[in-house]
């Protein structure tokens, strides 16, 4: 059965749950797309864990600087803008993202719940204090370039990216609010995620278990289970603006 756009117009509380795919059309690589995914080109164990940072802080800091500066050079795409627009048309919208870029915010979204942290929130690896000095924004370094991390002004510890690494706990408040929104919503749009990383991947399931309709938007068909679970196969930057036009005539 086809997803009826009326559900979007009639929704009381919409949760939008995004992954790397929502930023793909902004030129930011995803993690698990065949050939282009970051985890097909790099080993997360060498780059996205606390042990990797202990072993080689300059390699890890350099890799995240490459990602941060690429994100700064990127622009929000029509998917980010449609999500920011949707917040104006429904009574309540909660935006939950696994992404660490700030493209949702730059498209106008507010109160974004970042389950995996943010590239713009570095902190000290030793004392955990936020690092508030301005980070340089020169050209994007060669991927894999070693860049010595800055030092903490309080304890001289090494500064780490403010992202959640494999095996690390997710920010408790963001996760709690995301689970609460999933339980309360009547419609959840899952946009551009492979749904393989826990505990974030629970969110669409929690919404479904609590009676919400779930719509997956992804160029890869998503395995659908349940009568209130739908899929639109295609790019978020094309599907979301069309969905808003069909639902709100704009
Ligand atoms: P996972 O299921 O191993 O991740 C679960 C853990 O990730 C949990 O502890 C969770 O709390 C934590 N987590 C929380 N936030 C995270 C974040 N921002 N980023 C990553 N994890 C976070 O995840 P996974 O997807 O199964 O990890 C393995 C993935 O990495 C596989 O998809 C595999 O394709 C890829 N991988 C690739 C290579 C390679 O060399 N190409 C090697 C190993 C793994
Ligand atoms: N529009 C919508 N979806 C897209 C697009 C697009 N234009 N391009 C790719 N996709 C889809 C892919 O088909 C894939 O299913 O986006 C999904 C991206 O999945 P992943 O690369 O696994 O990214 P994500 O689901 O966000 O990964 C979750 O894993 O390693 C961690 O920290 C990382 O937060 C990330 C988490």
């Amino acid at each position: 059965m086809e997803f009826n756009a009326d559900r979007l117009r009639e929704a009381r509380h919409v949760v939008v749950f995004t992954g790397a795919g929502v930023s793909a059309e902004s030129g930011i690589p995803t993690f698990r797309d065949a050939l282009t995914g970051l985890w097909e080109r790099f080993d997360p164990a060498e780059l996205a864990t606390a042990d990797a940072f202990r072993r080689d802080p300059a390699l890890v800091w350099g890799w995240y600087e490459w990602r941060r500066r690429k994100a700064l050079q990127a622009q929000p795409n029509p998917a980010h803008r449609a999500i920011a627009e949707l917040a104006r048309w429904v009574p309540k919208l909660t935006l939950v993202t696994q992404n660490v870029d700030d493209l949702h915010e730059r498209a106008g979204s507010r109160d974004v719940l970042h389950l995996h942290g943010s590239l713009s929130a570095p902190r000290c690896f030793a004392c955990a204090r936020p690092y508030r000095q301005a980070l340089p924004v020169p050209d994007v370094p060669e991927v894999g370039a070693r860049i010595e991390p800055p030092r903490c002004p309080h304890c001289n510890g090494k500064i780490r990216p403010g992202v959640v690494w494999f095996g690390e706990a997710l920010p408790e408040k963001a996760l709690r609010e995301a689970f609460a929104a999933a339980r309360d919503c009547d419609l959840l749009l899952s946009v551009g995620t492979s749904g393989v990383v826990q505990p974030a991947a629970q969110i669409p399931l929690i919404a479904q278990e609590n009676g919400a309709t779930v719509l997956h938007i992804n160029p890869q068909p998503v395995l659908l289970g349940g009568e209130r679970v739908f899929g639109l196969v295609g790019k978020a930057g094309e599907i979301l603006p069309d969905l808003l036009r069909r639902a709100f005539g704009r």
Side-chain angles (χ1 to χ4, degrees):
M1 189 171 53
E2 179 76 2
F3 178 76
N4 182 334
D6 291 351
R7 290 177 187 270
L8 187 57
R9 188 177 55 252
E10 290 154 9
R12 167 187 53 83
H13 178 188
V14 177
V15 166
V16 180
F17 173 60
T18 65
V22 81
S23 297
E25 291 156 89
S26 298
I28 296 184
T30 62
F31 292 92
R32 297 175 183 85
D33 270 314
L35 303 179
T36 59
L38 289 172
W39 296 152
E40 297 315 315
R41 295 157 56 195
F42 304 101
D43 180 356
E46 295 306 310
L47 292 165
T49 65
D51 282 346
F53 187 80
R54 286 189 194 93
R55 269 197 312 271
D56 193 339
L59 176 71
V60 174
W61 180 258
W63 194 70
Y64 280 91
E65 274 300 281
W66 169 71
R67 289 186 59 194
R68 183 179 70 84
R69 296 178 201 176
K70 262 184 88 68
L72 284 176
Q73 286 193 347
Q75 293 304 321
N77 68 57
H80 297 108
R81 289 199 294 274
I83 292 166
E85 184 70 14
L86 179 60
R88 301 185 182 90
W89 298 114
V90 294
K92 183 174 181 184
L93 184 142
T94 305
L95 175 51
V96 181
T97 190
Q98 299 169 90
N99 296 344
V100 294
D101 64 52
D102 62 350
L103 292 178
H104 280 307
E105 288 85 351
R106 285 163 57 195
S109 290
R110 295 280 168 272
D111 306 322
V112 183
L113 295 177
H114 281 270
L115 295 185
H116 290 166
S118 164
L119 288 167
S120 38
R123 66 174 186 272
C124 177
F125 191 68
C127 74
R129 284 190 180 87
Y131 181 69
R132 301 199 192 285
Q133 324 263 330
L135 291 174
V137 191
D139 303 338
V140 177
E142 276 305 302
V143 67
R146 276 182 163 69
I147 302 177
E148 278 306 321
R151 291 290 180 148
C152 172
H154 302 279
C155 74
N156 199 39
K158 294 186 175 82
I159 299 302
R160 59 161 284 176
V163 304
V164 179
W165 282 328
F166 283 110
E168 290 188 320
L170 278 64
E172 214 176 294
K173 182 172 179 293
L175 191 59
R176 193 173 55 247
E177 290 177 5
F179 280 171
R183 281 193 294 273
D184 177 67
C185 74
D186 45 354
L187 174 61
L188 181 138
L189 308 181
S190 173
V191 186
T193 181
S194 60
V196 297
V197 171
Q198 297 302 343
Q202 295 300 311
I203 288 172
L205 302 176
I206 293 170
Q208 184 187 345
E209 281 158 13
N210 284 270
T213 296
V214 175
L215 172 64
H216 294 278
I217 296 172
N218 196 316
Q220 300 293 330
V222 176
L223 199 62
L224 306 176
E227 73 275 10
R228 286 188 311 279
V229 182
F230 300 86
L232 290 175
V233 178
K235 294 182 174 182
E238 294 163 10
I239 288 179
L240 280 169
D242 178 57
L243 200 53
L244 265 68
R245 274 192 294 275
R246 286 195 286 131
F248 304 102
R250 6 185 106 235

